[in-house]
Amino acid sequence: MKNHFSRLAFWTSAIAIFVVVLAFPRYNRPGTEATLAWDVSGYYLYLPAIFIYKDLKEVKFLPRIIEQYQPSFAPDQAYPVGNGQQVMKYSAGMAVLYLPFFLIAHVIANLTGYPADGFSLPYQVAIQIGGVLIAVLGLWFLRNNLLRFFSDRVTGWAVLLLALGTNFFNYATFDAANPHVWLFTLLALVVHFTIRWHERPNFRDAFLMGLCTGLAALVRPTEVLYALVPVLWGLASVRSLRDRVGVFFQNFSHLIVAGATVAAVGFIQLAYWKCVTGEWIVYSYQDQGFSFLHPHFADVLFSYRKGWFVYTPLMLFAVAGFFFLYKKSRALFVPVFLFFLLNTWIVASWDIWWYGGAFGQRAMIQSYPLLAFPLAAFLGWMSGKNWSKWLFGILLAACLSLNLFQTYQAHWGPWEPDMMNRAYYWRIFANLHDSPYDKLLLDTKEGFFGEKKNVRQLYFTDFESITDSVGISTQFARSGSRSAFADPQTPFSHTINLPRPPDMKAGEWLHISAWFFGPQKEWEVWWMPQLVVRFEKGGQSVRERIVRPFRVLNQGEWGEVGMDIRVPEKDFDNIKVFLWNPANRVAMFMDDLKAEGFQE
């Protein structure tokens, strides 16, 4: 069979994706764990608004949907504007892509007795399975694109590694309703139609290039970058640039068709904004935006929170492959490398560079159809070196295994999708289970797990002798009759001031602990009351650490919570300890606070 290995790699990847989705479906989970939850529910909201509730302008049905299905904690997928209407936060591109699957689900819901409300089980199933089918389609076109330039074996390995060894796998299975694999497939299609158009210019491929680019930009306006692919494809020198200009002039009508198609698709969003707000252009992300002059390259690529190379180390080989792609074909190198640079700059410039709760740096996934080329170039070089086959083969296998294991961790293990840091990452590394108290490392960002030496008590209070009435309560106490507290009316508790002990040295450790009580538990992490420890010099903060006791406390029960903090190198003269209630929603009480110093 022709190209049998790459076919085998494709079908292996496709079967693995379908097996995982069918074995661990997300569509039957409740609340924010369902398919139509968080951002996805916002992308999708256009469809029930138009086809079911006939309410695109006011979205009056949304509070009821949130109360019944709890796709998010608040109706923040739309926000009010001056004329009393509600504007969708997210653009309409994903709704257009979801549309065929939504219509199928709507028919099934009406035929089977499920609520035809846009969020019942048929809709959840259709949107997730639709994402899986789109992801597999993207892999098929990726394979076809690579086969034009690389051998069957190299292509097969590239497809298999990208599908199973990167965060593509998570977004092709558990999070298939998110935009990333849909955008992945659109870029694979743009590359496919670009190759065909450059081989034989024609209106059909020009139209399809424009359609795919327009849809991608309708999903995320920054994906208009896809238009660079047909413009830059095959450029290798100044002479080829002159030839390219000539080709474009000869086929100018094709460019008009492609550009008009992009504009026509984009007009969908403009028409929606005009219909709802009376304005053609609306920035619906409000206070979220880009800082193009201050991109977060180090965070996006290397941070423990969402570093691309930390959670998808296999792509280091793709980046290294640019060297071999340059040697193999400058005509491939130029468009792929320029796209990679510009796309990474845009991704890193988004102010919320961690892109919310996600597995790894999800915003890089849609560029994989192009990054597959340098990855394949690296694999091609590796296959010609006997010594490297074993060395790099082991490394690639390790990267693939790590990706599969951490994908499992992200859904059934001690994973933190939004606030990961170095201390917590290494605490749970290669573990499927964690202690609830390990979660406190997500706040403190550091912890001590060795043997403590020279432990000495620096301070203790049960708050009985504190006469300050602000932030001190007699309502609840673990010992005696008084405790410190912070509640909606008193966001800051009484502050404990500890002068620096004369024997405390930089690099040693400080342990702060207390007993905490909450009559009502706060479940949203960002709204939880915090124990704050601040090192100060002359009233200015030198180092600050916090911990959220509700991460480990049960409602209505006293529990002890503490943190270990390394004493800073910078000079300080005072340590402040207090409770802070950032959201002013629930009350928290603190008693029997102690401070200890110790050495490793």
Side-chain angles (χ1 to χ4, degrees), residues 306-484:
K306 286 289 167 61
W308 187 38
F309 295 138
V310 173
Y311 296 103
T312 311
L314 188 142
M315 295 311 290
L316 284 166
F317 296 99
V319 174
F322 275 116
F323 174 77
F324 304 104
L325 186 65
Y326 179 83
K327 294 179 66 176
K328 176 181 175 62
S329 172
R330 292 189 186 182
L332 278 176
F333 171 83
V334 170
V336 176
F337 188 66
L338 289 179
F339 184 96
F340 169 68
L341 291 180
L342 289 172
N343 183 69
T344 305
W345 177 49
I346 291 172
V347 168
S349 296
W350 184 241
D351 290 336
I352 307 176
W353 57 266
W354 58 95
Y355 290 85
F359 177 66
Q361 192 54 244
R362 60 179 180 172
M364 296 298 293
I365 293 172
Q366 46 259 46
S367 64
Y368 290 177
L370 285 176
L371 292 176
F373 287 96
L375 177 62
F378 178 87
L379 295 173
W381 168 82
M382 187 185 79
S383 65
K385 306 288 184 181
N386 289 330
W387 63 270
S388 68
K389 288 181 181 179
W390 293 104
L391 172 62
F392 288 111
I394 292 172
L395 291 176
L396 289 167
C399 289
L400 188 149
S401 301
L402 178 66
N403 181 71
L404 294 177
F405 180 79
Q406 290 190 336
T407 301
Y408 184 89
Q409 265 191 324
H411 296 275
W412 293 282
W415 195 263
E416 169 50 50
D418 195 29
M419 303 173 66
M420 189 75 78
N421 57 49
R422 179 195 298 268
Y424 188 70
Y425 179 88
W426 288 111
R427 182 66 174 169
I428 67 165
F429 186 78
N431 291 327
L432 289 177
H433 305 286
D434 68 333
S435 162
Y437 281 82
D438 288 342
K439 291 282 188 182
L440 299 176
L441 295 173
L442 296 169
D443 298 327
T444 65
K445 300 181 176 64
E446 58 183 339
F448 182 82
F449 304 102
E451 180 182 352
K452 297 181 180 181
K453 295 182 179 179
N454 302 324
V455 180
R456 60 200 188 279
Q457 182 165 298
L458 305 175
Y459 180 81
F460 174 82
T461 181
D462 57 7
F463 298 99
E464 298 301 308
S465 61
I466 295 176
T467 59
D468 184 3
S469 62
V470 178
I472 298 294
S473 171
T474 58
Q475 184 179 6
F476 297 100
R478 178 177 178 268
S479 61
S481 60
R482 297 164 68 84
S483 64

Side-chain angles (χ1 to χ4, degrees), residues 162-175:
L162 273 175
L164 305 183
T166 72
N167 51 345
F168 172 91
F169 182 71
N170 176 77
Y171 286 91
T173 52
F174 303 104
D175 295 319

Side-chain angles (χ1 to χ4, degrees), residues 197-198 201 231 235 238-255:
W197 186 87
H198 280 286
V231 173
L235 291 181
V238 174
R239 180 177 178 179
S240 63
L241 178 60
R242 291 196 299 266
D243 294 340
R244 174 60 45 80
V245 172
V247 170
F248 283 164
F249 271 112
Q250 291 173 12
N251 300 279
F252 191 70
S253 57
H254 295 176
L255 302 185

